Amino acid sequence: MSKTVLVSGASGFIGSHVAARLVEEGYRVRAMTRNPDGYGGAGEPVRADVSDPGSLTAAFAGVDVAYYLVHSLGSDDFEKRDAEAARNFAAAAAGAEAERIIYLGGLGADDGELSAHLRSRRDVERILQAGPVPVTVLRAAVVIGHGGISWEITRQLAERLPAMVTPQWVNTRTQPIALPDAVRYLTGVLEPEEARGSTYEIGGPEVLRYIDMLQRVAEIQGGHLPNVTVPLLTPRLSSAWLKFVTDVDEETARNLVDSMSNEVVVKDDAITRLLPGELIGYDEAVRLALADRESAGQHDRAGSR
C-alpha cells in the first residue's frame, strides 16, 4: 500500500509542486491548507493551520510522512511564529506516530553570524528534531522557479532596471537550485532508509554572486544590466529600495535582504550520491521559470475571457 503523505504549505511555491509530484508517484497526498474550499492543487485538501494545534490532529490522522514547507517570513515577529508553529507540527506528528518529517530549511554556516531569517530556519530544524519523529532536513539557497519570492526579486530587478546602484551584498556567493531539482530531492528522500534523520545540502551546479544572477537574467531576456556597488545601502534602505522597484512587500524584502550577506554554498554534496542525476544549470533554470510564468499568464488571460 502507498504511504499517506501530508504536505503543509500545499498551496505555496514549493509545496504545490511537491504535492503534484507525489500524486504522480502514486502516494495518497493530503494537502494541508487554511482554505480547502479554494484549493485547486494536487491531493486531497484538508483544513489545518500550523499556528492552531487543535486543527492539526485531524490532518495528521493516519499520516505516514509529513512535509514541513511553511514559514512566516512576511511577519515582523516571524522567528517567534515559526518556532511556535514547528513545536505544534512536531507534537502533532508525534501524536500520530508518523514515520518521518521532511523539512526544507536554509543553507549557511551555523557560526553565530546567520541572519534572523536563516537563524529561524535553523531553529525550526532543531525544534522538529527534538521530537521523537525522525526528521530529514534539506537545506537550500535560492530556488529558481516561477512563484518563488527570491526569484521574483531577481527577475523584476533584472527586467525593470536599466542599471543598478547596489549594496555590498550583491557580491555574496550563493548556490541557486532549479525548482525541478529541489522537488526531485524533496520527494526522493521520502523512501530511502538512510535518509531518516539525515541532513542534506542541496544546490545547483554553479556558485554565483547575486550580481551574476541578476546580470545573467537580464542577458537571457535580451538586456544588459550595468552595476555600481556602493557601501552605503544598509539592509533597511535596501529593503525599501526593493519595495520601490518590485512587488515584494517590505517586511518580506527586509527579512530576505538581511540574509543576503550570508554566503549560502553547499559544503557537503552527499545528496548527489543518494539521488544521482544531472542538475539543471542556472541559465536553463531561468528559462524554465520564465516559460512557466508565460504559461501561467496565458492561462490567467484565457480564464478571464
Side-chain angles (χ1 to χ4, degrees):
M1 293 179 62
S2 65
K3 287 182 169 65
T4 296
V5 183
L6 178 68
V7 179
S8 65
S11 57
F13 167 49
I14 300 290
S16 60
H17 292 277
V18 168
R21 178 71 172 264
L22 291 172
V23 168
E24 289 174 6
E25 294 180 358
Y27 292 97
R28 293 190 298 269
V29 173
R30 199 170 291 170
M32 185 173 138
T33 172
R34 287 177 291 188
N35 181 26
D37 293 337
Y39 181 75
E44 173 195 356
V46 57
R47 186 189 305 276
D49 186 338
V50 291
S51 66
D52 178 7
S55 72
L56 294 172
T57 304
F60 265 93
V63 163
D64 298 299
V65 177
Y67 280 83
Y68 192 78
L69 304 173
V70 295
H71 62 73
S72 306
L73 199 57
S75 304
D76 56 1
D77 60 344
F78 70 91
E79 290 185 86
K80 178 181 177 182
R81 285 172 177 256
D82 280 346
E84 180 180 351
R87 282 190 286 270
N88 294 339
F89 198 84
E97 298 183 343
E99 297 174 10
R100 189 184 313 189
I101 294 170
I102 299 173
Y103 168 60
L104 179 62
L107 277 173
D110 198 355
D111 55 6
E113 300 296 327
L114 289 177
S115 68
H117 170 221
L118 292 176
R119 186 173 63 241
S120 177
R121 297 287 80 202
R122 204 59 51 85
D123 287 345
V124 166
E125 185 178 309
R126 285 189 280 264
I127 291 167
L128 294 175
Q129 290 170 331
V133 179
V135 182
T136 300
V137 176
L138 277 69
R139 296 174 180 167
V142 178
V143 178
I144 307 299
H146 173 60
I149 297 174
S150 296
W151 157 247
E152 273 302 300
I153 290 174
T154 303
R155 181 191 66 77
Q156 291 179 32
L157 287 175
E159 183 180 89
R160 297 176 180 180
L161 295 178
M164 291 181 66
V165 177
T166 55
Q168 292 289 345
W169 54 255
V170 297
N171 291 308
T172 303
R173 298 196 314 156
T174 184
Q175 194 163 348
I177 184 169
L179 175 61
D181 285 331
V183 172
R184 176 170 67 88
Y185 283 146
L186 280 162
T187 56
V189 297
L190 193 156
E191 294 288 355
E193 185 63 27
E194 64 189 279
R196 287 170 60 91
S198 296
T199 297
Y200 298 101
E201 299 180 345
I202 64 173
E206 299 172 80
V207 175
L208 301 167
R209 299 175 303 161
Y210 287 109
I211 188 60
D212 300 327
M213 294 168 61
L214 286 161
Q215 291 179 329
R216 283 168 65 168
V217 172
E219 290 170 5
I220 288 169
Q221 297 186 102
H224 179 61
L225 191 62
N227 171 67
V228 176
T229 300
V230 297
L232 301 178
L233 283 172
T234 64
R236 182 168 292 276
L237 286 173
S238 293
S239 60
W241 168 69
L242 287 177
K243 172 60 181 173
F244 181 71
V245 293
T246 73
D247 297 335
V248 179
D249 70 89
E250 189 167 349
E251 196 66 50
T252 299
R254 182 181 303 122
N255 292 330
L256 285 173
V257 164
D258 284 345
S259 298
M260 290 177 174
S261 60
N262 289 121
E263 182 173 283
V264 281
V265 174
V266 171
K267 304 297 185 183
D268 182 351
D269 64 353
I271 191 73
T272 63
R273 293 182 288 279
L274 177 70
L275 299 169
E278 185 175 355
L279 290 164
I280 298 170
Y282 180 71
D283 288 2
E284 180 61 19
V286 168
R287 293 188 182 96
L288 289 172
L290 293 173
D292 285 347
R293 179 173 183 268
E294 177 62 23
S295 177
Q298 290 175 353
H299 181 270
D300 291 343
R301 288 192 291 273
S304 64
R305 291 172 187 162

